[in-house]
């Protein structure tokens, strides 16, 4: 775990991840699970066709 060098330097936004890159810059990346939730898309139910019945086989005597 790293040390906290300075607090309150970066204005943080909800739903973003902050990290220090290889050059020493503070970067932000949008988190996949943070921030506002997406609205669920409504799916339309597909119409079902009735199954075709096969004719009964005749018994041989």
């Amino acid at each position: 775990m790293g040390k906290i060098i300075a607090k309150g330097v970066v204005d943080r936004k909800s739903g973003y991840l902050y990290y220090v890159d290889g050059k020493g810059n503070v970067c932000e990346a949008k988190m996949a699970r943070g921030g506002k939730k997406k609205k669920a898309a409504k799916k339309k139910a597909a119409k079902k066709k009735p199954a075709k019945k096969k004719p009964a086989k005749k018994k041989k005597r």
Side-chain angles (χ1 to χ4, degrees):
M1 191 80 184
K3 283 195 264 181
I4 296 173
I5 298 170
K7 280 191 173 186
V9 177
V10 178
D11 294 329
R12 295 180 61 181
K13 299 176 198 170
S14 176
Y16 285 87
L17 173 73
Y18 293 88
Y19 63 96
V20 179
D21 66 2
K23 295 179 182 178
N25 299 320
V26 177
C27 300
E28 72 178 8
K30 185 128 175 112
M31 289 193 288
R33 65 185 183 283
K36 296 180 182 177
K37 293 186 178 182
K38 294 180 182 178
K39 291 183 181 178
K42 292 181 182 178
K43 294 183 180 180
K44 293 183 180 179
K47 292 183 180 179
K48 293 184 180 180
K49 294 181 181 178
K52 293 182 180 178
K53 294 184 180 180
K54 295 181 182 178
K57 292 184 180 180
K58 295 181 181 178
K59 292 184 182 179
K60 292 183 181 180
R61 290 187 179 184

